[in-house]
């Protein structure tokens, strides 16, 4: 992919340049804005300190919201969303386990 497919988003005062297909650009920007909002809410609560921990808490909150919506009878799902969330949580767990040995705090 070329750099023209690169999108720069800002999350918690940091810029991230992400390569994505042009048709996914708006979804990526929306997702980044949503994540930024969640992370700012968590940071402003003062209960969680550190960008890594704020990111994990935001991921857990977003995942909880998604699972709650999925369990609602009005939502029609293909049945794969829950599996994707489990996979995502497993990846987060693995990343945190790997990070525990290298960082303290």
């Amino acid at each position: 992919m070329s750099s023209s497919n690169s999108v720069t988003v800002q999350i918690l005062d940091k810029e991230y340049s992400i390569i994505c297909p042009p048709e996914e650009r708006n979804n990526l920007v929306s997702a980044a804005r949503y994540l930024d909002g969640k992370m700012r809410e968590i940071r402003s609560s003062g209960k969680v300190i550190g960008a890594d921990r704020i990111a994990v808490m935001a991921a857990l909150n977003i995942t909880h919201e998604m699972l709650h919506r999925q369990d609602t009878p009005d939502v029609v799902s293909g049945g794969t969303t829950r599996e994707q969330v489990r996979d995502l949580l497993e990846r987060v767990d693995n990343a945190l386990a790997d990070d525990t040995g290298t960082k303290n705090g």
Side-chain angles (χ1 to χ4, degrees):
M1 288 187 180
S2 69
S3 62
S4 64
N5 289 335
S6 179
V7 177
T8 300
V9 296
Q10 195 166 28
I11 301 172
L12 210 59
D13 303 324
K14 285 191 175 187
E15 285 191 353
Y16 298 88
S17 185
I18 303 166
I19 295 174
C20 76
E23 63 272 12
E24 291 296 322
R25 184 181 207 110
N26 289 336
N27 289 336
L28 175 63
V29 170
S30 294
R33 283 185 188 145
Y34 187 78
L35 177 59
D36 181 61
K38 286 292 181 186
M39 290 179 70
R40 287 179 185 281
E41 283 177 25
I42 292 166
R43 182 176 68 180
S44 68
S45 77
K47 295 178 182 175
V48 181
I49 298 172
D52 291 348
R53 292 177 185 267
I54 291 170
V56 169
M57 291 305 299
L60 289 172
N61 286 334
I62 292 167
T63 301
H64 175 74
E65 290 171 6
M66 192 169 80
L67 287 173
H68 179 71
R69 276 189 286 233
Q70 183 182 10
D71 290 339
T72 309
D74 298 349
V75 177
V76 177
S77 173
T80 60
T81 304
R82 185 174 292 274
E83 293 164 8
Q84 291 172 342
V85 169
R86 284 187 185 131
D87 182 53
L88 177 62
L89 286 173
E90 185 177 312
R91 288 185 201 179
V92 169
D93 286 341
N94 290 338
L96 288 174
D98 291 345
D99 194 46
T100 303
T102 59
K103 289 184 183 176
N104 224 355

